[in-house]
Amino acid sequence: MRPHLRLLRRIDWTSPACLVFAVGLLVVTFVSVRAGADPDLWGHVRFGQDILAAGAIVKVDPYSFTSDREWVNHEWLAEVAMALAWNQGGTAGLVALKALLLLATLALVGWAAHRERVPSLAVWLLVVLAAVGVVPRATAVRPQLFSLLLFAAQMVILTEHERRGRRALLLGLPPLYALWVNLHGGWLVGGGVLALWTVGHVLERRGTRLDHLWLTAVGLLALLATLVNPYGLGMWRFLADTVGFGRDHIADWQPVWNVPAPLVSWAVVAAVAGLLCAERCVPVTRTGPLLVALLGLGSLKVNRLDAFFALSAVITLVPAFGEAARRLERRGDGASRSQTLAPAAACAVYLLVGVTTAHRVAAQIVCIPVSAQDEYPEPEALAWLESTGTRGRAVTFFNHGEFLIWHLAPDVKVSMDGRRETVYSDAVVDAHARLYNAPAEGSDYPDSVGADLVLLPNSLGAAKHLEARGWRPAFMGPTTTVFTRGPGRAPTRSSAPPLERCFPAED
């Protein structure tokens, strides 16, 4: 009999470890391949395609007529990767890119646990905990996925240096930041963690003075490496102007308690981390738990920090988790359990895992669903705009902008899209916010910018205020209305219910 077959026969497929492995594989697969189209996906792919076509970074925005600042595309390299994935593989390419980034992130968690000789069952539980913690940031194909991978890599490097004195690994941080600064703004979080980690270890006198010098020198080199970007110091100035806690109009920057799904994930990670710290299973530095606590508190204010909190908690507390698992193992030694139903239960679990995993993978590689919410114009609205040969300047909703850029540029230029502060000043963003949130006051905005049409979700309730200013509905759908300055005539109407479509929603 072949060696690998003998190995398979020696495995107890009804053991808790095997069953946890199967369920863990299901969770990891779902988190990795589950994808949805957020409002920025159209723009990420299109802007990446533009960079590939031009062979250079596009710094002058060609898509908006109200943009009034230099376009600092801090995610340009991630967008190139997304464009390449779409160009080569379509939907399957984007899903594959997302899955590879998340699987690599979770693999780093598993590797860190394996290095601490954590029992195999506990390794999978840690990986599943990390998957639960990152899932709110992992439901869409977005540049932040690169930040999750690079943040996990940094945490592994720092903990390896702390626990095993591997200074050479620290040399990987400067090139990591040179890459990270061109992929996503999450490097600011990573840089803050690196700085606090260094200060904490110096104050705690962990390691030798040479270790402290290494950490400090590498941190300074990593900071200098962030200048390796197309904008140089302009990248720092841009992020200093646009990154902060006061971005109430962006869902990802809301407090975690305002969004149910992130709150559940945050609570699960926080509960496990709190129990491990309370148990004090193994001696730990104060720096690691303090960083975890700061990220946890930060994610209460800005929910997009929750994935960084989860990864820092899982990787930093690996030794404590391993010790807790070994205690439970010792307590469970000699405990009796019935084996009568174990084979049947195992078969049922494996069948469920196999079928649901295959179904999820097959569904996602052919369709990244576009939600039926009013975040996007309905197909009939898009068809009307295309059939009438609409051209000119369109006042648009935040979430409609990049969808319209994909389908109607260059004939139609938008007034606002998901890039927000990237190409628009605060004055432009505030003017749109007034139009959306207080249309009685902000309905003069289309006239002030010389718009040719207005396309807004019906949920904003702006129709009567725009009509009072002479705008006439030319198309009226269940979720969207298009207003023009044309002669008063009966608008085209559509009562078709919104349908779930697949990215890029061409039909």
Side-chain angles (χ1 to χ4, degrees):
M1 184 178 294
R2 295 178 181 178
H4 62 277
L5 293 178
R6 287 199 298 270
L7 176 62
L8 290 176
R9 290 192 64 179
R10 286 200 297 269
I11 295 175
D12 181 4
W13 295 99
T14 64
S15 67
C18 284
L19 295 179
V20 169
F21 172 83
V23 176
L25 182 62
L26 177 64
V27 172
V28 169
T29 301
F30 264 65
V31 171
S32 299
V33 304
R34 182 173 180 264
D38 75 348
D40 295 332
L41 181 56
W42 286 269
H44 289 319
V45 177
R46 173 54 55 84
F47 305 148
Q49 290 175 329
D50 290 344
I51 295 171
L52 291 173
I57 307 299
V58 179
K59 294 185 178 181
V60 178
D61 175 30
Y63 295 113
S64 173
F65 68 95
T66 59
S67 58
D68 55 353
R69 63 187 300 172
E70 179 189 7
W71 185 5
V72 179
N73 189 347
H74 63 293
E75 300 169 336
W76 73 269
L77 189 55
E79 291 179 344
V80 167
M82 293 166 71
L84 287 171
W86 172 259
N87 291 348
Q88 298 301 316
T91 298
L94 288 174
V95 173
L97 174 64
K98 173 184 180 294
L100 286 173
L101 291 171
L102 282 172
L103 288 173
T105 302
L106 297 175
L108 284 172
V109 173
W111 185 83
H114 177 72
R115 291 281 292 169
E116 291 295 323
R117 302 185 183 279
V118 174
S120 58
L121 179 62
V123 170
W124 268 102
L125 290 175
L126 270 174
V127 170
V128 169
L129 179 64
V132 170
V134 304
V135 70
R137 306 304 129 207
T139 55
V141 186
R142 57 195 302 180
Q144 190 175 2
L145 297 170
F146 290 93
S147 275
L148 299 185
L149 173 59
L150 295 177
F151 183 82
Q154 173 175 279
M155 292 304 302
V156 168
I157 289 172
L158 292 176
T159 52
E160 277 290 298
H161 169 257
E162 177 191 82
R163 294 164 191 165
R164 294 175 181 82
R166 300 186 63 184
R167 295 178 189 144
L169 280 179
L170 295 176
L171 296 177
L173 291 176
L176 182 146
Y177 274 86
L179 181 65
W180 200 346
V181 71
N182 294 290
L183 288 167
H184 185 254
W187 67 270
L188 289 172
V189 178
V193 167
L194 177 57
L196 290 174
W197 186 279
T198 302
V199 171
H201 279 68
V202 171
L203 293 178
E204 287 190 68
R205 299 181 180 180
R206 300 284 299 181
T208 65
R209 182 172 298 179
L210 185 58
D211 288 318
H212 301 161
L213 289 174
W214 267 79
L215 276 170
T216 303
V218 166
L220 291 174
L221 288 174
L223 179 64
L224 292 175
T226 61
L227 294 174
V228 184
N229 69 80
Y231 310 96
L233 282 170
M235 180 72 80
W236 289 6
R237 288 192 294 268
F238 163 75
L239 292 173
D241 290 341
T242 59
V243 175
F245 287 101
R247 304 177 78 186
D248 295 336
H249 55 283
I250 302 178
D252 281 0
W253 291 76
Q254 297 295 314
V256 72
W257 55 78
N258 287 353
V259 192
L263 178 59
V264 171
S265 296
W266 183 92
V268 170
V269 175
V272 174
L275 286 173
L276 290 176
C277 288
E279 282 289 325
R280 301 180 64 88
C281 297
V282 292
V284 293
T285 66
R286 288 187 289 273
T287 301
L290 177 61
L291 284 172
V292 173
L294 288 175
L295 285 170
L297 292 173
S299 57
L300 286 176
K301 177 65 175 176
V302 176
N303 69 78
R304 74 182 308 167
L305 295 176
D306 54 6
F308 298 116
F309 163 58
L311 291 171
S312 66
V314 171
I315 295 174
T316 301
L317 299 176
V318 158
F321 199 94
E323 179 61 24
R326 284 187 284 271
R327 285 186 182 182
L328 290 175
E329 252 187 3
R330 289 192 293 269
R331 290 174 187 173
D333 287 346
S336 62
R337 60 186 181 91
S338 173
Q339 297 286 339
T340 306
L341 299 178
C347 286
V349 170
Y350 297 139
L351 180 63
L352 176 65
V353 168
V355 171
T356 53
T357 300
H359 178 268
R360 170 56 64 181
V361 172
Q364 289 289 187
I365 63 175
V366 298
C367 179
I368 297 178
V370 176
S371 70
Q373 302 170 1
D374 62 0
E375 291 183 341
Y376 318 99
E378 55 264 65
E380 293 79 12
L382 185 61
W384 182 87
L385 289 166
E386 292 173 333
S387 66
T388 55
T390 300
R391 295 174 179 271
R393 301 176 165 194
V395 168
T396 49
F397 185 51
F398 282 130
N399 292 341
H400 288 179
E402 293 179 27
F403 178 92
L404 294 173
I405 286 172
W406 177 280
H407 291 97
L408 300 177
D411 294 336
V412 174
K413 289 195 172 185
V414 301
S415 68
M416 179 56 59
D417 61 86
R419 292 171 295 173
R420 296 183 175 90
E421 296 91 342
T422 305
V423 295
Y424 304 104
S425 66
D426 290 342
V428 174
V429 174
D430 291 343
H432 281 83
R434 285 194 298 273
L435 174 61
Y436 305 151
N437 302 323
E441 302 173 9
S443 56
D444 61 334
Y445 183 70
D447 294 307
S448 70
V449 294
D452 300 301
L453 66 151
V454 179
L455 190 152
L456 294 176
N458 298 334
S459 59
L460 297 180
K464 65 179 182 180
H465 304 288
L466 290 170
E467 290 184 52
R469 293 186 175 273
W471 291 92
R472 297 289 178 261
F475 171 89
M476 299 180 68
T479 63
T480 307
T481 298
V482 181
F483 300 87
T484 66
R485 280 296 195 184
R489 61 187 180 190
T492 301
R493 296 178 181 270
S494 171
S495 58
L499 301 174
E500 185 174 88
R501 294 165 283 166
C502 298
F503 176 83
E506 301 287 8
D507 298 326

